[in-house]
Amino acid sequence: MIYLDNAATTKTAPEVVDAMLPYFSEYYGNASTIYSLGAESKTAMDHARQTIADSLGAKPEEIYFTAGGSESDNWALKATAEAYASKGKHIITTKIEHHAILHTCEYLEKRGFEITYLNVDRDGLISLDELKAAIRPDTILISVMFANNEIGTIEPIAEIGEIAKEHGVLFHTDAVQAYAQVPINVDEMHIDMLSASGHKLNGPKGIGFLYIRKGVKIRSFVHGGAQERSRRAGTENIPGIVGLGAAVERAMRIMDTKTRKESELRDYLIGRLENEIPHCWLNGHRTKRLPNNINFSFLFIEGESMLIMLDMKGICASSGSACTSGSLDPSHVLLAIGLKHEEAHGSLRLTLSEESTKEEMDIVAEEVKKIVQRLRDMSPLYEDFLKSQKNN
């Protein structure tokens, strides 16, 4: 099997599993208790919180554990909206956000909030001038994803943070795809809130965190206990938290070598696909993109058919976000960057890991070439295109 869908989820690293195991059956105490068994759990949780804080240049008391990226996104938007409604009811985001943001914005719109959805260019980048023009006296929050989960484009986060700070507006970033892939410093980038998820960085599923800068007036998201400084009640998922901490330690340790390797393999496969398959193109910014992300559109084919045929060859890939892979609608991200419906339907996303190899890239390139040609041979649209080319 060649697994190239790491944007959807990653394999939990063996050392992460090893770190978690004792907290299921040996150190199983509740972290809120005062006896030593519970203290073991609390110590482990505090260590993970410190590790995550250090990775962002944050303070440990600014890290709040959640069930994952979607919960963190929901918390950042809903609780901010509630806390700052007296100041204003205007929020700015983009048209290419993850649905955890977009659907939460739709929820808030039904409750009287006004949302401005920024456009992006063909590469998926927002315009800083458009952002500045969108800010109003009643704007309370700007939420722009750090890097897009489909096309891999990395937004100008530090510049967005600077603009938000200048205008006294809170800035949240969904960093689910970017965290532990690229360096992030919340102070240098003026980030007030940041969402992340464990299973995107070789950690376990069902655990994530929300960074909330000290002083941000954000409401509690889950009521019922004093956990997470009374902002997110519920007995802490200690095995998950330990696993997340171990995954972050590992990710920080290998980031430089991982980034270098993935970027080289990414560019190698992009080059092969571009040079060897006609009527296709790369989606997303060529250089301002995640080191492991490749997203292509192929004319005259359906992405779903390509995925099935790749799977038959033992290659795991995607045609977009994992959260919408069951949908027949074209990707909202690809439409936002200007693709037509039929162009968006023929997309393929390949996301690498540090275990990916050049040999695998060659296998994938050869299989994609064969599959694209086979699908085009069955396509009446491609047949019509070839006839029109001959007539011209």
Side-chain angles (χ1 to χ4, degrees), residues 65-356:
F65 292 114
T66 67
S70 292
E71 182 190 324
S72 297
D73 285 345
N74 271 258
W75 185 0
L77 268 63
K78 291 176 182 175
T80 300
E82 183 183 354
Y84 289 83
S86 60
K87 180 195 171 187
K89 290 193 170 186
H90 181 234
I91 294 170
I92 299 171
T93 188
T94 81
K95 292 181 178 179
I96 63 166
E97 298 296 308
H98 188 277
H99 281 116
I101 293 291
L102 295 178
H103 289 170
T104 303
C105 285
E106 290 173 13
Y107 167 88
L108 292 172
E109 283 181 301
K110 292 174 183 175
R111 281 148 185 82
F113 287 83
E114 189 177 344
I115 315 293
T116 296
Y117 297 92
L118 299 175
N119 294 306
V120 293
D121 64 17
R122 185 72 181 206
D123 291 327
L125 290 169
I126 71 159
S127 161
L128 295 176
D129 288 337
E130 186 181 343
L131 170 62
K132 291 175 187 175
I135 297 173
R136 311 183 324 205
D138 62 337
T139 304
I140 57 172
L141 178 67
I142 297 167
S143 182
V144 176
M145 68 193 331
F146 203 110
N148 187 263
N149 51 303
E150 293 191 34
I151 60 174
T153 297
I154 298 174
E155 299 294 338
I157 295 299
E159 291 87 344
I160 296 168
E162 184 68 39
I163 292 167
K165 185 181 179 184
E166 287 173 4
H167 290 82
V169 177
L170 292 177
F171 175 39
H172 165 257
T173 185
D174 175 345
V176 167
Q177 291 294 332
Y179 177 63
Q181 284 267 35
V182 297
I184 301 175
N185 184 289
V186 290
D187 282 341
E188 291 175 4
M189 296 178 171
H190 307 292
I191 297 168
D192 296 304
M193 289 173 283
L194 177 146
S195 304
S197 183
H199 76 104
K200 305 293 188 180
L201 53 127
N202 302 104
K205 296 173 179 64
I207 188 69
F209 69 85
L210 178 64
Y211 158 77
I212 307 173
R213 181 180 294 281
K214 191 174 181 180
V216 172
K217 185 178 70 174
I218 192 168
R219 300 289 171 85
S220 299
F221 195 57
V222 180
H223 302 90
Q227 293 89 353
E228 298 305 290
R229 293 172 290 293
S230 297
R231 283 180 162 178
R232 203 261 191 183
T235 301
E236 299 92 347
N237 173 11
I238 299 301
I241 290 169
V242 168
L244 176 57
V248 171
E249 282 184 3
R250 175 183 179 276
M252 293 300 117
R253 186 175 68 249
I254 68 171
M255 183 186 289
D256 289 345
T257 54
K258 179 175 181 284
T259 297
R260 189 161 51 248
K261 179 184 179 182
E262 289 178 349
S263 298
E264 288 175 1
L265 292 177
R266 175 200 69 189
D267 294 343
Y268 174 74
L269 183 52
I270 288 173
R272 283 210 60 182
L273 295 177
E274 281 184 324
N275 293 325
E276 298 174 34
I277 302 177
H279 316 302
C280 74
W281 61 84
L282 179 70
N283 294 312
H285 199 281
R286 191 163 291 272
T287 56
K288 296 174 184 174
R289 76 184 297 129
L290 292 171
N292 73 335
N293 178 285
I294 299 167
N295 188 303
F296 264 83
S297 283
F298 301 91
L299 285 179
F300 314 113
I301 69 163
E302 285 286 336
E304 202 76 13
S305 301
M306 182 160 47
L307 293 185
I308 293 168
M309 295 172 77
L310 284 169
D311 183 43
M312 291 169 68
K313 296 294 183 179
I315 299 168
C316 302
S318 168
S319 60
S321 166
C323 301
T324 57
S325 59
S327 171
L328 294 176
D329 294 329
S331 157
H332 71 285
V333 175
L334 297 182
L335 294 181
I337 65 172
L339 269 61
K340 299 172 184 174
H341 277 239
E342 61 271 22
E343 294 172 336
H345 272 302
S347 69
L348 174 69
R349 182 185 70 176
L350 303 166
T351 41
L352 288 58
S353 75
E354 72 270 18
E355 294 184 354
S356 299

Side-chain angles (χ1 to χ4, degrees), residues 1-6 269 310-311 313-317 350-352 355-357 359-365 367:
M1 184 182 76
I2 299 176
Y3 183 76
L4 293 179
D5 201 17
N6 288 278
L269 183 52
L310 284 169
D311 183 43
K313 296 294 183 179
I315 299 168
C316 302
L350 303 166
T351 41
L352 288 58
E355 294 184 354
S356 299
T357 65
E359 180 187 16
E360 289 179 338
M361 300 303 102
D362 284 326
I363 293 170
V364 170
E367 292 300 337

